[in-house]
């Protein structure tokens, strides 16, 4: 019944966007240059980037200048949508008679593009959205793997670097149209959605709900609610307010909720499915009892059969299982998918045996505390844990203050701490500013915690490897500043 309703909803939508004014209204925009699509064949159905565009495509760009309008004109695209026309863009559009749509909310254009791609290219797929502060990428990729391993045609926007989960450009709509054109109809779409998003320091309100609704999800997953993206949001209440509308966007679909997170548990979902790291007496639930994952009162996977054993990763596994159960995937196929899963890059990836080196994309307070806590459980007597942390560059003092506070909370006598500004590997968008570095130094000094700081990541990794005994464990954490660590270690080990 639910699937039939979903089909009916999609089939009630127009198959082709014929009138440019409908697009203008949908993105709350203003039209200049021409009041019709520029291409003689109108809009082909594909949203994309300017460099990739062909006749009849629509391009979405955050900003455009006169030169860009001339390029769009030469490519004979249908129209261009932007939030920031500058340097003669409007004048050039008027002179060339080229349709330029200007909107104050570029996120509306990208949500429309995503929705149109789903309806136009993948009207019969069942779609899953995943959002939350931590664990989105692992959960999304695991769902993708389970479905793909079961023999379905699946597309996801999650990759090892989480490049496409922001949905603030037309990349995912382009991915959908290109995949269907090249390889045929999709069975499932697995879309990771950033819980908080912005542009030029300004919050895009209701981003997660807007993008979730655009996918027409049969199932949604909310992993947790915690602090990240400081500046766009400044309190846990702000994060909650961004996520609380997601269950409404999922609507009649199933919403998989992390019962162990109090804020997630409080969300109002029409059809909830709960996951938990302890026994849960609910009909629609899957939980971990310390030894096995339990569904419908039966153990379906033992801890020894899981691809990773850390608490936060098991939470991700539970979410992925809950989503696939909600999709009515056979339990045996789900179990097989979990058993054969290989983790994404930098998700507690083992890089070396002696000493053990683990690399994790822990880049916010909850991620840092969870990753260090799980690594400490692996320490044997007389072992040391060497933590190398990349300071987050150009993200502001606030998030770095929270991150160093998380480090302070996680420290004990078995941990040696190393910091890196990673000047040798980051670009100007990720350069560590003096105030970001100083908040680390000051907080660690105030708490009497010893550390060594390195300007360059290679120097940091060289020193950590030299100081660690073969029986010790090295943990690499951080975002962009730690991304090149694996390749650098190849020259060090």
């Amino acid at each position: 019944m639910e699937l039939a309703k979903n089909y009916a909803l999609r089939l009630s939508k127009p198959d082709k966007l014929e009138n440019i004014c409908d697009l203008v209204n949908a993105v709350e925009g203003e039209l200049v240059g021409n009041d019709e699509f520029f291409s003689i064949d109108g809009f082909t159905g594909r949203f994309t980037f300017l460099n990739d565009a062909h006749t009849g495509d629509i391009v979405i760009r955050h900003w455009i200048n006169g030169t860009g309008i001339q390029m769009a004109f030469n490519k004979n695209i249908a129209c261009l949508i932007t939030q920031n026309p500058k340097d003669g863009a409007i004048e050039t559009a008027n002179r060339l008679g080229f349709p330029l749509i200007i909107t104050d909310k570029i996120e509306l254009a990208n949500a429309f593009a995503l929705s149109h791609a789903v309806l136009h290219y993948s009207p019969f797929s069942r779609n899953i959205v995943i959002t939350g502060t931590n664990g989105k990428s692992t959960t999304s990729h695991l769902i993708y793997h389970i479905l793909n391993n079961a023999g379905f045609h699946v597309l996801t926007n999650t990759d090892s670097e989480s490049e496409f989960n922001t949905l603030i450009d037309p990349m995912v709509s382009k991915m959908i149209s290109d995949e269907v054109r090249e390889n045929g109809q999709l069975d499932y779409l697995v879309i990771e959605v950033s819980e908080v998003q912005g542009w030029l320091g300004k919050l895009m309100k209701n981003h997660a709900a807007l993008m979730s609704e655009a996918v027409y999800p049969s199932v949604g997953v909310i992993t947790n609610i915690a602090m990240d993206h400081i500046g766009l949001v400044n309190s846990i209440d702000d994060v909650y307010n961004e996520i609380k509308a997601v269950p409404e966007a999922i609507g009649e679909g199933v919403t998989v909720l992390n019962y162990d997170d109090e804020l997630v548990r409080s969300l109002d979902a029409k059809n909830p499915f709960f996951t938990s790291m302890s026994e849960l007496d609910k009909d629609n639930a899957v939980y971990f009892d310390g030894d096995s994952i339990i569904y419908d009162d039966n153990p379906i996977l033992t801890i020894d059969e899981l691809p990773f054993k850390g608490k936060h990763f098991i939470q991700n596994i539970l979410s992925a299982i809950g989503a696939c159960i909600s999709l009515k995937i056979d339990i045996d196929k789900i179990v097989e998918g979990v058993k054969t899963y290989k983790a994404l890059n930098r998700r507690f990836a083992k890089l070396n045996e002696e000493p053990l080196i683990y690399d994790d994309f822990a880049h916010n307070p909850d991620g840092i505390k969870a990753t260090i806590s799980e690594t400490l459980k692996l320490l044997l007597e007389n072992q040391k844990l060497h933590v190398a942390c990349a300071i987050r560059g150009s993200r502001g003092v606030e998030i770095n203050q929270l991150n160093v506070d998380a480090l302070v909370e996680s420290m004990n006598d078995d941990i040696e701490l190393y910091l890196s500004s990673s000047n040798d590997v980051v670009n100007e968008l990720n350069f560590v500013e003096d105030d970001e570095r100083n908040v680390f130094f000051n907080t660690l000094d105030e708490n009497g915690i010893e550390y060594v700081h390195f300007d360059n990541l290679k120097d940091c990794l060289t020193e950590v490897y030299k100081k660690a005994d073969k029986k010790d464990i090295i943990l690499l954490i951080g975002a962009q500043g730690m991304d090149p660590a694996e390749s650098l270690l190849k020259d060090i080990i």
Side-chain angles (χ1 to χ4, degrees):
M1 179 63 73
E2 177 193 344
L3 193 58
K5 288 180 180 177
N6 202 25
Y7 285 177
L9 169 67
R10 299 189 198 186
L11 291 173
S12 69
K13 302 288 183 179
D15 183 57
K16 188 174 182 181
L17 181 63
E18 300 283 0
N19 190 333
I20 194 172
C21 293
D22 293 337
L23 178 59
V24 174
N25 292 333
V27 304
E28 299 179 9
E30 173 191 358
L31 181 62
V32 299
N34 199 326
D35 61 2
E36 294 182 352
F37 286 124
F38 187 68
S39 167
I40 191 170
D41 295 323
F43 172 42
T44 59
R46 183 172 181 259
F47 288 86
T48 188
F49 300 87
L50 185 54
N51 288 340
D52 182 69
H54 301 287
T55 296
D57 292 344
I58 290 178
V59 167
I60 302 174
R61 282 183 60 97
H62 283 264
W63 65 268
I64 195 75
N65 58 19
T67 301
I69 297 296
Q70 182 69 57
M71 186 183 299
F73 174 87
N74 294 341
K75 284 175 170 279
N76 198 36
I77 69 173
C79 72
L80 190 146
I81 308 172
T82 191
Q83 184 170 323
N84 184 18
K86 58 183 183 179
D87 299 335
I90 294 175
E91 293 80 2
T92 304
N94 285 324
R95 176 173 57 81
L96 297 174
F98 179 83
L100 174 64
I101 301 173
I102 304 164
T103 176
D104 290 332
K105 298 177 180 178
I106 198 71
E107 61 269 30
L108 294 180
N110 286 306
F112 185 94
L114 182 57
S115 174
H116 188 275
V118 171
L119 294 172
H120 189 71
Y121 289 97
S122 194
F124 302 115
S125 63
R126 300 195 72 193
N127 307 329
I128 306 97
V129 294
I130 302 93
T131 193
T133 307
N134 299 98
K136 295 186 296 295
S137 294
T138 297
T139 303
S140 301
H141 197 252
L142 181 49
I143 294 170
Y144 165 81
H145 173 76
I146 292 170
L147 296 172
N148 186 64
N149 193 67
F152 295 106
H153 185 193
V154 194
L155 177 68
T156 183
N157 63 327
T158 292
D159 68 348
S160 61
E161 298 180 353
S162 298
E163 286 290 318
F164 311 133
N165 67 345
T166 61
L167 305 181
I168 61 172
D169 58 36
M171 174 57 79
V172 177
S173 55
K174 174 185 179 301
M175 289 171 63
I176 293 169
S177 60
D178 290 354
E179 176 68 19
V180 172
R181 284 179 172 185
E182 292 172 14
N183 299 308
Q185 287 295 313
L186 290 162
D187 298 311
Y188 292 95
L189 272 169
V190 182
I191 303 297
E192 178 183 351
V193 178
S194 181
E195 81 286 8
V196 172
Q197 196 50 252
W199 184 57
L200 295 179
K202 182 182 178 182
L203 177 69
M204 291 177 173
K205 290 185 178 180
N206 297 316
H207 171 85
L210 180 67
M211 298 303 170
S212 296
E213 187 175 37
V215 177
Y216 304 96
S218 297
V219 175
V221 177
I222 301 176
T223 59
N224 74 324
I225 297 176
M227 285 302 295
D228 199 357
H229 304 286
I230 304 297
L232 294 176
V233 290
N234 296 299
S235 71
I236 196 69
D237 289 339
D238 290 344
V239 185
Y240 179 81
N241 288 334
E242 285 301 300
I243 293 180
K244 71 179 182 181
V246 172
E248 183 178 349
I250 295 166
E252 298 294 332
V254 177
T255 306
V256 179
L257 300 172
N258 176 6
Y259 191 84
D260 300 332
D261 186 301
E262 183 178 359
L263 291 175
V264 173
R265 188 169 69 244
S266 72
L267 293 171
D268 184 18
K270 288 185 178 180
N271 295 301
F273 185 107
F274 292 104
T275 67
S276 179
M277 290 295 290
S278 57
E279 186 172 350
L280 200 56
D281 185 19
K282 290 185 177 294
D283 292 335
N284 295 323
V286 61
Y287 64 87
F288 180 67
D289 68 359
D291 296 312
S292 300
I293 290 177
I294 310 295
Y295 173 64
D296 198 21
D297 295 327
N298 295 309
I300 59 173
L301 283 158
T302 67
I303 189 168
D304 292 333
E305 294 174 311
L306 302 183
F308 23 60
K309 313 297 190 289
K311 177 181 176 182
H312 55 307
F313 286 120
I314 296 176
Q315 287 176 328
N316 300 156
I317 293 171
L318 291 171
S319 294
I321 290 174
C324 291
I325 289 172
S326 300
L327 291 168
K328 311 299 184 188
I329 303 301
D330 185 88
I331 290 293
D332 290 341
K333 294 292 186 183
I334 297 173
V335 168
E336 182 184 349
V338 173
K339 286 181 178 180
T340 58
Y341 180 67
K342 303 297 182 185
L344 277 168
N345 185 38
R346 299 209 61 219
R347 268 62 179 188
F348 210 65
K350 184 190 291 187
L351 304 185
N352 195 62
E353 286 288 350
E354 291 185 341
L356 271 173
I357 302 178
Y358 289 101
D359 183 22
D360 192 85
F361 192 69
H363 64 290
N364 59 36
D366 278 23
I368 290 170
K369 288 186 286 188
T371 304
I372 293 177
S373 174
E374 293 301 325
T375 310
L376 283 170
K377 293 177 183 178
L378 303 177
L379 277 184
L380 302 176
E381 189 175 354
N382 298 321
Q383 282 184 313
K384 282 282 186 183
L385 173 59
H386 302 262
V387 176
C389 175
I391 301 170
R392 292 195 74 175
S394 299
R395 296 303 191 276
V397 169
E398 292 84 357
I399 187 61
N400 279 294
Q401 179 68 68
L402 291 173
N403 282 352
V404 71
D405 288 343
L407 274 177
V408 169
E409 186 177 334
S410 302
M411 293 295 292
N412 66 28
D413 293 340
D414 294 323
I415 298 177
E416 302 282 348
L417 181 61
Y418 308 78
L419 303 176
S420 173
S421 291
S422 304
N423 293 344
D424 54 334
V425 294
V426 297
N427 57 24
E428 65 277 3
L429 297 177
N430 297 293
F431 187 81
V432 178
E433 305 292 344
D434 288 342
D435 54 354
E436 295 170 326
R437 188 166 31 245
N438 289 336
V439 76
F440 262 79
F441 296 168
N442 293 339
T443 302
L444 294 171
D445 290 342
E446 288 168 4
N447 286 275
I449 295 173
E450 295 184 1
Y451 61 91
V452 183
H453 171 263
F454 297 86
D455 288 328
N456 295 328
L457 180 60
K458 187 171 185 178
D459 294 337
C460 178
L461 297 175
T462 301
E463 182 69 10
V464 174
Y465 184 74
K466 183 175 73 174
K467 289 289 183 68
D469 190 275
K470 284 190 175 182
K471 68 178 186 298
D472 291 342
I473 299 177
I474 297 173
L475 175 63
L476 313 177
I477 57 175
Q480 290 78 13
M482 193 59 72
D483 278 346
E486 182 175 7
S487 61
L488 292 175
L489 280 171
K490 291 177 181 177
D491 295 329
I492 296 171
I493 296 177

